[in-house]
Amino acid sequence: MNARTSRTVIAAALLLGIAAGPAASPALAAAAAPVAGPAARHSSPVGGSEAEALRAAISGLPSDDATAALVRVSGTGGVWRGSAGVHDLASGRAADPSGRFRVGSVTKVFTAAVVLQLAGEGRIGLDRPVRRYLPDLIPATYGQVTVRQLLNHTSGLPSVDPGNGDTLEDWYEHRFDLIDPADVVRETTAHRPDFAPGTQQHYANIGYTVAGLLIERVTGDTYASQVSRRVLEPLRLEDTYFPGTDPSIRGRHNRGYQIFGTQGELRDVTAWGVSDAWAAGDLISTTADLERFTRALFGGRVVRGPLLEEMFTLPDASVREYGTGRPAAFGAGLSVMTLGGREVWGKTGGRWGYNTVIAATRDLSRTLVYSVNSTDAKGGDMNPTALDIVVAAFGAPSDR
């Protein structure tokens, strides 16, 4: 597989929500490297070619593709911390390496973890129909959809736009609209299924919107409160929070921008409501908190015992991706890819102005977290800076 093909495979995988993981490698290090704009900042205990590649991956920011990048790599091969770019384009001051950002669909991993905790407590059955818990929201048409199928995207529930427009300008105009997740479910279930439950896999937000409502029905508490009590507080993720109806990002953060129109107009999109994503994508965090969460999750300190394996278990081999026929790649919350001959798991996320990844090998010999302030975070192509980070950290993908 040549370098160009390797990068294409990684990009396609990440765009599908498949987070990549690391290959075995030497220890990492960093030293300051010149960039266009504020100097990139790095730290690491040891040297290595990967450190040089990581430095290069985030050099030259801000660029047309990204205004900032925050990266954390850790594991048995060493650690690497890097940041580059600007806090905002107006001032041009250096990006804050501790800044908060929108994690997008990485939220799904937190949601899945809480559902699995409730299953471990006997309050939810993974093979029970969702309709048993939400009979007023899930009609008989979807009566066979199970909780497990929500989590691994095999429910057949169609992906329906929450109703805030069809174009980027429409979405921008309605960016502060408040959307009721129950209304999203009602609108979705008014349509025919994409396929029979359990027969194909279609990555979408809707399963996790239902999962959030399931958490609330079973516990009698809000989804945000349950995730906070069960995950954020025990792990002391003090810079991670749910914004609710607040469209802003509290505390220190780097501004997010989006390209509009054919003339390349850049607009500040930092303030943007997330009620359309809710339990599928509303969380705000930092690279340090996400790294701590990833290590705790993979280490069995969030979901314990056999239920943790649900996150690392793919559907039966006969289940293929809806519309493409590719092999299913999602377990409960996490997805898989093979890079450098090693199987790795993780999750990508994208909200306007922000792209995020968490990824790790099962044995935690390498973890990656990044936030890239992409200028087209929901575009049809992989952000070049994010792609360069993945290639630098993990190497070439293996054939599957």
Side-chain angles (χ1 to χ4, degrees):
M1 183 180 292
N2 61 40
R4 182 175 181 179
T5 301
S6 298
R7 291 166 68 86
T8 300
V9 170
I10 295 173
L14 289 170
L15 281 168
L16 289 169
I18 302 172
S25 57
L28 301 174
V35 298
R41 290 179 284 187
H42 315 94
S43 62
S44 180
V46 289
S49 60
E50 286 177 315
E52 182 61 36
L54 286 164
R55 285 195 295 270
I58 63 172
S59 69
L61 299 183
S63 67
D64 290 343
D65 305 306
T67 58
L70 315 177
V71 182
R72 296 176 73 93
V73 176
S74 66
T76 56
V79 298
W80 193 90
R81 309 285 185 252
S83 64
V86 295
H87 166 271
D88 64 280
L89 293 174
S91 72
R93 63 187 173 92
D96 187 340
S98 301
R100 288 171 168 163
F101 49 85
R102 303 189 189 281
V103 310
S105 286
V106 173
T107 305
K108 292 181 175 70
V109 187
F110 290 77
T111 303
V114 170
V115 172
L116 292 171
Q117 285 185 4
L118 290 168
E121 296 165 9
R123 302 170 74 177
I124 289 176
L126 295 181
D127 291 315
R128 291 178 181 171
V130 181
R131 181 173 162 82
R132 174 170 177 173
Y133 304 99
L134 298 167
D136 52 323
L137 281 178
I138 306 299
T141 306
Y142 292 94
Q144 300 305 309
V145 173
T146 68
V147 175
R148 178 181 281 107
Q149 290 164 352
L150 292 179
L151 299 183
N152 68 12
H153 303 283
T154 62
S155 68
L157 285 162
S159 182
V160 176
D161 192 296
N164 56 0
D166 299 317
T167 68
L168 178 54
E169 286 290 356
D170 289 337
W171 298 326
Y172 182 77
E173 181 180 352
H174 292 278
R175 66 193 184 280
F176 301 135
D177 288 1
L178 298 180
I179 297 171
D180 185 340
D183 287 343
V184 174
V185 175
R186 292 186 187 98
E187 181 180 357
T188 297
T189 56
H191 294 74
R192 293 175 58 84
D194 281 343
F195 48 82
T199 62
Q200 298 185 65
Q201 188 172 75
H202 183 196
Y203 177 80
N205 282 348
I206 185 60
Y208 279 76
T209 300
V210 178
L213 293 167
L214 174 63
I215 290 170
E216 295 196 335
R217 184 66 57 87
V218 168
T219 64
D221 193 8
T222 66
Y223 145 77
S225 174
Q226 282 292 302
V227 177
S228 297
R229 185 174 68 81
R230 292 170 173 271
V231 181
L232 307 189
E233 293 170 10
L235 296 182
R236 298 183 179 179
L237 306 183
E238 296 176 355
D239 286 315
T240 304
Y241 75 98
F242 294 93
T245 60
D246 184 357
S248 65
I249 300 176
R250 300 199 304 260
R252 300 191 304 181
H253 59 277
N254 302 307
R255 309 296 295 183
Y257 298 87
Q258 169 65 38
I259 295 173
F260 283 75
T262 58
Q263 300 303 309
E265 175 198 358
L266 269 184
R267 294 184 198 171
D268 189 324
V269 293
T270 308
W272 196 304
V274 290
S275 63
D276 61 316
W278 195 53
D282 64 349
L283 202 62
I284 290 172
S285 190
T286 63
T287 54
D289 272 9
L290 289 182
E291 183 180 68
R292 184 180 305 160
F293 169 71
T294 301
R295 299 190 69 83
L297 180 70
F298 281 54
R301 293 191 288 120
V302 179
V303 180
R304 294 176 171 80
L307 286 167
L308 177 59
E309 291 306 308
E310 292 288 337
M311 306 191 88
F312 301 100
T313 301
L314 300 180
D316 183 88
S318 64
V319 176
R320 314 293 283 189
E321 184 185 21
Y322 178 66
T324 71
R326 289 190 289 254
F330 285 88
L334 297 175
S335 55
V336 66
M337 190 177 181
T338 302
L339 296 174
R342 300 172 70 178
E343 187 179 84
V344 295
W345 295 80
K347 189 71 189 72
T348 59
R351 292 295 297 181
W352 304 109
Y354 302 90
N355 282 139
T356 303
V357 153
I358 64 170
T361 53
R362 285 295 308 268
D363 63 1
L364 292 173
S365 59
R366 176 64 59 82
T367 68
L368 167 74
V369 175
Y370 71 62
S371 170
V372 172
N373 290 60
S374 169
T375 58
D376 192 16
K378 288 181 170 289
D381 296 320
M382 177 70 179
N383 178 268
T385 297
L387 178 57
D388 287 345
I389 293 167
V390 172
V391 172
F394 304 144
S398 304
D399 292 330
R400 288 186 62 198

